[in-house]
Amino acid sequence: MGSNAASTSRTFLAYQHDANLHLHDTIVAAVLPFSALEEPNRLLFKQGSEDDHVVITEQTIFHPQGGGQPSDVGSMTFATTATKFAVTAVRMGQAQHDGQVLHLGRFESSDGVEMAAFKPGDSIQQAIDVEKRTLYSRLHTAGHVLGAAVRHLLENEVEGFDELKASHFPDLANCEFRGLIDGKWKDPIQAKLDEYLAAKLPVQVEWWDEEDFRANGLERLIPDRELLGVPAGEKFRVVNIVGAEVYPCGGTHVETTDRCGPTKVRKISRSKGISKVSYAVE
């Protein structure tokens, strides 16, 4: 299977506009053997091997790992030849693939025998693993709701308080905050979290520019364009948990907070001026 030179156009992130797209038709832009990737991109895939390929498409419903959210998995199918590409990992490309989504996986036919690769221009159908997407969306939204609960309770109680980062991986989900959060806050945080979940707050995806952040008194949240790779003039994607908090975020979410399901604060740990609040969804 030969490699194809990748086009330079960015992948359209269809999942950012409609997280309920579980099937999607798009066009193949490039196909590359894993070994042909530049080293920075090979290093993105710890499980990558000589038997794998990377497919780049014009659009994608696969969320690449990032922002604390695991990547989607699933498949791509070319109906004309019954060729199927099993997608095992997805990352946002670097180097010359900056802005392009790299789908790692292997080609197989319907009977499990390896087939010829897709070609640029082929029209294929993407399908994500819906069960995993739903879990990741519940975890991601729950993490934001937890962050909102902690901020509401402790912003003026904890010296130097700020929200730092979060991981929304199953079994490893946690939110980190600057400042020392005493263990006595675990039950109040759980109560506020439960309140936000029960309220069925709308989780709205919106697109803001710098002025929108200022108009809402949220200058502290204005993202770094260079860091996120958002060109000048383009708006930032934000997730507005109406009545709770706004977060610049590229991930997938449930539509209302109650759809996170029961969410439990597991523990609060502290180290070197940083507090970590871990959580799980049931």
Side-chain angles (χ1 to χ4, degrees), residues 6-60:
S7 65
T8 56
S9 58
R10 293 155 61 197
T11 306
F12 178 76
L13 308 179
Y15 65 86
Q16 286 197 346
H17 300 268
D18 184 355
N20 292 317
L21 283 173
H22 299 154
L23 294 172
H24 187 60
D25 294 328
T26 187
I27 304 298
V28 174
V31 182
L32 300 151
F34 179 72
S35 58
L37 285 179
E38 305 89 339
E39 185 177 9
N41 288 317
R42 285 201 308 276
L43 294 174
L44 295 174
F45 298 102
K46 294 178 181 176
Q47 71 274 56
S49 76
E50 296 297 308
D51 296 323
D52 291 317
H53 279 73
V54 164
V55 173
I56 301 170
T57 51
E58 292 183 359
Q59 302 186 7
T60 190

Side-chain angles (χ1 to χ4, degrees), residues 84-107:
K84 186 173 183 178
F85 182 73
V87 179
T88 55
V90 188
R91 301 289 187 272
M92 185 64 73
Q94 300 179 14
Q96 75 181 57
H97 294 296
D98 191 38
Q100 295 181 322
V101 175
L102 310 178
H103 307 84
L104 180 80
R106 296 186 183 183
F107 287 98

Side-chain angles (χ1 to χ4, degrees), residues 21 23 86 90 128 161-162 174 205 262 280:
L21 283 173
L23 294 172
V90 188
I128 59 168
F161 178 87
D162 197 10
N174 68 82
V205 172

Side-chain angles (χ1 to χ4, degrees), residues 63-237:
H63 180 279
Q65 182 171 302
Q69 181 172 332
S71 83
D72 285 318
V73 296
S75 64
M76 301 186 200
T77 306
F78 183 41
T80 304
T81 61
T83 299
K84 186 173 183 178
F85 182 73
V87 179
T88 55
V90 188
R91 301 289 187 272
M92 185 64 73
Q94 300 179 14
Q96 75 181 57
H97 294 296
D98 191 38
Q100 295 181 322
V101 175
L102 310 178
H103 307 84
L104 180 80
R106 296 186 183 183
F107 287 98
E108 57 186 34
S109 69
S110 56
D111 59 4
V113 178
E114 188 175 3
M115 296 278 286
F118 301 147
K119 300 186 299 298
D122 283 349
S123 178
I124 53 95
Q125 183 176 72
Q126 297 177 330
I128 59 168
D129 183 320
V130 178
E131 185 176 342
K132 288 186 176 178
R133 161 65 71 79
T134 301
L135 174 61
Y136 300 158
S137 298
R138 291 173 58 216
L139 280 162
H140 201 148
T141 306
H144 285 336
V145 177
L146 173 62
V150 173
R151 176 176 287 280
H152 178 88
L153 290 171
L154 301 179
E155 187 171 20
N156 299 315
E157 300 284 339
V158 172
E159 184 178 356
F161 178 87
D162 197 10
E163 291 182 71
L164 299 177
K165 61 182 181 178
S167 169
H168 312 295
F169 281 67
D171 303 321
L172 298 171
N174 68 82
C175 299
E176 290 189 16
F177 305 89
R178 182 174 288 114
L180 297 178
I181 301 175
D182 192 273
K184 69 180 182 181
W185 287 104
K186 182 176 181 230
D187 287 344
I189 291 170
Q190 182 70 64
K192 190 64 181 176
L193 173 61
D194 290 343
E195 177 189 324
Y196 281 149
L197 296 176
K200 301 182 180 181
L201 303 177
V203 181
Q204 298 177 177
V205 172
E206 301 173 2
W207 298 87
W208 290 14
D209 58 22
E210 284 87 349
E211 191 51 45
D212 292 318
F213 285 97
R214 296 187 188 97
N216 285 278
L218 295 172
E219 292 91 342
R220 63 180 171 81
L221 294 179
I222 296 176
D224 183 320
R225 283 190 176 276
E226 187 172 342
L227 188 65
L228 290 183
V230 178
E234 285 193 16
K235 293 190 174 187
F236 299 101
R237 185 179 189 264

